[in-house]
Amino acid sequence: MRSSSSAVPFDPPRPIQARSGFDSLMEAAGDVVFRVAPSSRIRLASRRAQRLVGLGIPLEGQLLTAIVSEFDHAALRTAFVDVQAAAEPVLVRARLRCGEPGAERETWFELRIAACEDEGKDEDGGEALLVVGRDMSAQYATEERLRHMATHDALTELPNRLLLADRIRMVVANARRSGQGFAVAIVGLDGFKKVNDGVGHPVGDAVLRQAGLRLRKALRDSDTLARIGGDEFVAVLPGTASAAQIKLVTGRMLATLQSPFEADGHTIYLGASVGVALYPQHAEDDNGLLALADAALSRAKESGKGRAMVYSAREQGPPQHDISLEAAMFNAVREGEFLLYYQPIVDARTRCIEGFETLMRWKHPTLGMVPPARFIPIAETNGLITLLGAWALKAACAQIRHFEEAAGRDLYISVNISPRQFRNDKFLDVLDEALAFSGTPGDKLVLEITEGTLMVDPLHAETILARMAERRARIAIDDFGTGYSSLAYLKRFPISVLKVDRAFVKDLPGAQKEAAICSAVLDMARHLDLSVVAEGVETEEQLAWLESRDCRYIQGYLTGKPMPAHVAIAALQDNQLTAPVPSEPRRGSGQ
């Protein structure tokens, strides 16, 4: 064993060395570090804390709440109580007042508060607490930058579609409470495409930025202006609901965009159109308001541009493409919700039924009878019309046999062929299948095609019509007089029937121009050996006038509304031409 004289003597650490070591730990522990009494009085502050917070006063001896934003005092006091009660560290976020007097700023810190066990009791009698803070300003700035990028248009710094939807929902909530309406306006630049195509996208971008600044200045601070893509901006206008208010604000927006734009040495003249939808008259949510305002904008551009138009259900009808309705259509095919109705075509002299026009209907379980004007354009766009058209053709060919059995004589069936269906490569195959499946001779079938469909590709039309004629099917020009009305195609194509559009019939016999047009069509058809069907006949006076001009066939509410097959059979059996079905809207596109 070594002697005690060889042992190394133990020297306890001197206080100054302990303080120096603790200071070093405090500087390394966080951006700001404080040793505080339970009363929150600062007993020791790191040099970095003194430098960051500053305020022109020594921090030691100050209450911690003196350098914390008053909005965070409650959270800080709660954290102190929780630490002392649970003896577990607590995290709290608070804003510290930093900087020199007169130039103070509030900076977010994350503070970790824990019992300072090694330090024993504080002179106040409680256990000392250690507060270690991490500067969150850079992280918060990054998060704010990311939030801004997610909710704002990168080019104009205006709110984007995401933030716009949120703003509209807020205005809707306020409007419901106050009972005050508001407007949503979509502004589209007229002729903007020529800028990108003519002088390049950088110049186009500069024009869009200028347009955004001009529109923002034309609106109130309480209004929201957003860019939703391309050359379109949206203004949400709380409290703007009357015609006078809408005229005033849309007038300012149009005026501010009429001045020339200067960009990269180019002087560019544009203009704008505006579409407006109102809450709650037109829609009660963000999607509905934007859709109807966009429909009004399209109407404004179609009617000459440079103007503002408020949405009108009477003039514009529903939006051209309804996604929810489209989804319901596909389900309707699976569930068998589509039906065929039949409208009689009668001899004008005897009022005897000669045939029927087949009309498609959709009976939705909750919406009821959906107007063809709503679903036919959507089906034409998404291609569903090809499937529906094939089904209608087969069903109609099968139905004519039942009609003839009920009548005990020959009849014919007339079927509308849509533009997309006519252009489909498989159309003739579908026609052959329908005739073969039903056993119906081709001469019992009339296929109605519009003038516009034929003139899109006359060479293709001539080939297809000739092959249809080979099958002995007759060709009718539907809505004659509303399309190209070229006499050349009457000679070129194998046409058998002209159907005079209701637009020329509805004001007979008093309208001189319509009477002259109808007389000319009837004379021409007689010389070309074509049959004529007058559509939309609703009065005895119209019927008498047409019969006096040797119009052989008529179709309309006077002699029979569109009716289900069983009602049509009853009409044939009883020789009654007025079917007991509820009145419905007049036939529009695809009806």
Side-chain angles (χ1 to χ4, degrees):
M1 177 179 290
R2 293 183 182 181
S3 64
S4 59
S5 62
S6 63
V8 178
F10 174 74
D11 293 326
R14 291 175 292 178
I16 186 67
Q17 291 174 327
R19 175 60 191 264
S20 298
F22 188 67
D23 282 353
S24 298
L25 288 173
M26 289 182 68
E27 297 303 326
D31 295 318
V32 294
V33 181
F34 307 98
R35 179 178 179 273
V36 300
S39 63
S40 85
R41 191 172 299 279
I42 300 172
R43 295 306 183 193
L44 191 64
S46 66
R47 289 191 295 273
R48 293 179 67 188
Q50 181 68 61
R51 188 167 59 251
L52 281 170
V53 178
L55 300 179
I57 56 172
L59 297 181
E60 295 178 2
Q62 300 291 326
L63 290 173
L64 185 59
T65 51
I67 63 171
V68 173
S69 169
E70 62 181 11
F71 297 106
D72 301 320
H73 284 183
L76 188 64
R77 284 194 295 267
T78 300
F80 270 51
V81 171
D82 290 346
V83 168
Q84 296 175 76
E88 292 289 337
V90 173
L91 288 177
V92 63
R93 292 189 176 186
R95 286 157 287 191
L96 300 189
R97 296 165 53 219
C98 300
E100 298 299 324
E104 297 176 13
R105 67 185 185 282
E106 291 186 345
T107 303
W108 279 102
F109 280 82
E110 183 181 71
L111 304 178
R112 185 179 187 275
I113 306 173
C116 194
E117 297 175 357
D118 292 340
E119 293 296 306
K121 297 292 184 181
D122 188 81
E123 62 188 46
D124 289 349
E127 193 171 39
L129 301 176
L130 187 66
V131 180
V132 179
R134 181 164 64 99
D135 186 348
M136 301 294 289
S137 57
Q139 179 177 328
Y140 277 21
T142 300
E143 292 174 357
E144 179 59 31
R145 195 158 52 248
L146 292 174
R147 278 194 297 270
H148 184 85
M149 291 171 62
T151 57
H152 287 74
D153 172 54
L155 179 64
T156 62
E157 291 297 311
L158 293 171
N160 62 12
R161 190 181 292 272
L162 180 67
L163 183 55
L164 172 67
D166 185 65
R167 295 278 178 86
I168 295 178
R169 286 192 286 267
M170 290 175 59
V171 177
V172 166
N174 291 334
R176 284 174 178 164
R177 286 192 295 268
S178 66
Q180 189 178 38
F182 70 92
V184 172
I186 298 184
V187 183
L189 300 182
D190 294 335
F192 179 73
K193 188 175 183 296
K194 70 184 181 184
V195 180
N196 284 338
D197 292 346
V199 292
H201 287 273
V203 175
D205 290 347
V207 169
L208 289 173
R209 283 191 291 268
Q210 291 180 43
L213 290 172
R214 291 186 189 182
L215 288 171
R216 180 65 268 177
K217 291 179 180 178
L219 300 174
R220 303 166 300 180
D221 291 341
S222 58
D223 299 330
T224 294
L225 179 68
R227 178 176 177 241
I228 57 174
D231 59 12
E232 290 187 352
F233 299 83
V234 176
V236 184
L237 310 167
T240 301
S242 70
Q245 291 171 324
I246 292 169
K247 183 177 181 181
L248 178 64
V249 68
T250 56
R252 285 203 304 263
M253 290 191 289
L254 291 173
T256 194
L257 295 174
Q258 286 178 344
S259 301
F261 294 87
E262 301 290 341
D264 196 25
H266 298 279
T267 300
I268 299 165
Y269 289 85
L270 293 174
S273 300
V274 182
V276 180
L278 302 177
Y279 173 92
Q281 295 96 311
H282 299 144
E284 296 187 10
D285 60 20
D286 54 313
N287 290 327
L289 288 166
L290 288 171
L292 298 184
D294 190 58
L297 173 63
S298 298
R299 179 74 172 171
K301 286 182 175 290
E302 290 169 0
S303 59
K305 302 181 180 180
R307 64 189 64 195
M309 296 193 73
V310 177
Y311 176 77
S312 168
R314 184 180 67 256
E315 293 181 7
Q316 294 168 284
Q320 287 296 307
H321 208 91
D322 186 327
I323 297 298
S324 60
L325 193 66
E326 182 177 38
M329 284 178 62
F330 281 96
N331 184 67
V333 173
R334 292 191 296 269
E335 298 297 327
E337 295 172 9
F338 285 98
L339 310 169
L340 291 182
Y341 272 37
Y342 303 90
Q343 186 170 29
I345 300 172
V346 308
D347 188 303
R349 294 166 296 180
T350 65
R351 302 200 185 193
C352 183
I353 297 177
E354 299 290 334
F356 291 91
E357 179 181 354
T358 305
L359 302 169
M360 195 174 298
R361 294 291 184 265
W362 176 13
K363 189 175 183 180
H364 190 278
T366 56
L367 298 176
M369 297 297 282
V370 181
R374 286 194 66 187
F375 71 81
I376 291 294
I378 298 176
E380 186 75 28
T381 300
N382 63 24
L384 193 59
I385 194 67
T386 302
L387 176 63
L388 291 173
W391 163 74
L393 185 58
K394 292 178 182 178
C397 287
Q399 187 62 51
I400 187 61
R401 298 178 66 88
H402 298 293
F403 287 158
E404 287 185 328
E405 290 174 3
R409 54 189 172 84
D410 290 338
L411 297 169
Y412 74 89
I413 197 80
S414 186
V415 182
N416 290 282
I417 304 301
S418 77
R420 187 160 185 161
Q421 192 180 0
F422 183 74
R423 292 193 296 268
N424 190 285
D425 293 339
K426 302 295 184 182
F427 172 67
L428 291 174
D429 294 337
V430 170
L431 176 59
D432 289 337
E433 289 175 11
L435 295 174
F437 170 77
S438 62
T440 301
D443 58 7
K444 303 281 186 183
L445 182 62
V446 174
L447 301 173
E448 298 190 17
I449 303 169
T450 63
E451 297 170 285
T453 301
L454 298 179
M455 301 309 293
V456 168
D457 186 349
L459 289 176
H460 172 265
E462 187 173 14
T463 301
I464 297 300
L465 292 178
R467 293 182 180 176
M468 291 162 65
E470 290 172 2
R471 292 154 172 82
R472 294 192 297 160
R474 288 180 288 165
I475 314 301
I477 301 300
D478 193 20
D479 300 335
F480 182 75
T482 62
Y484 290 84
S485 298
S486 169
L487 299 182
Y489 76 73
L490 295 177
K491 176 183 177 182
R492 179 177 180 179
F493 299 147
I495 294 165
S496 302
V497 182
L498 301 181
K499 300 196 73 175
V500 179
D501 187 72
R502 66 182 57 251
F504 302 115
V505 175
K506 66 177 182 177
D507 294 324
L508 293 177
Q512 292 184 353
K513 291 183 179 180
E514 284 80 354
I517 292 173
C518 287
S519 295
V521 171
L522 290 167
D523 288 342
M524 178 181 63
R526 188 164 47 251
H527 285 91
L528 294 176
D529 197 24
L530 301 175
S531 297
V532 177
V533 179
E535 297 182 290
V537 178
E538 299 183 357
T539 68
E540 292 288 350
E541 291 76 16
Q542 292 169 348
L543 174 59
W545 188 92
L546 290 164
E547 183 186 352
S548 70
R549 267 68 175 180
D550 294 328
C551 179
R552 179 70 184 276
Y553 303 106
I554 64 168
Q555 178 181 348
Y557 275 32
L558 177 65
T559 52
K561 300 174 182 178
M563 59 190 74
H566 71 278
V567 178
I569 289 175
L572 287 167
Q573 292 172 334
D574 300 338
N575 199 28
Q576 295 174 353
L577 303 182
T578 302
V581 288
S583 180
E584 55 185 285
R586 296 295 186 263
R587 184 163 71 89
S589 175
Q591 198 170 9

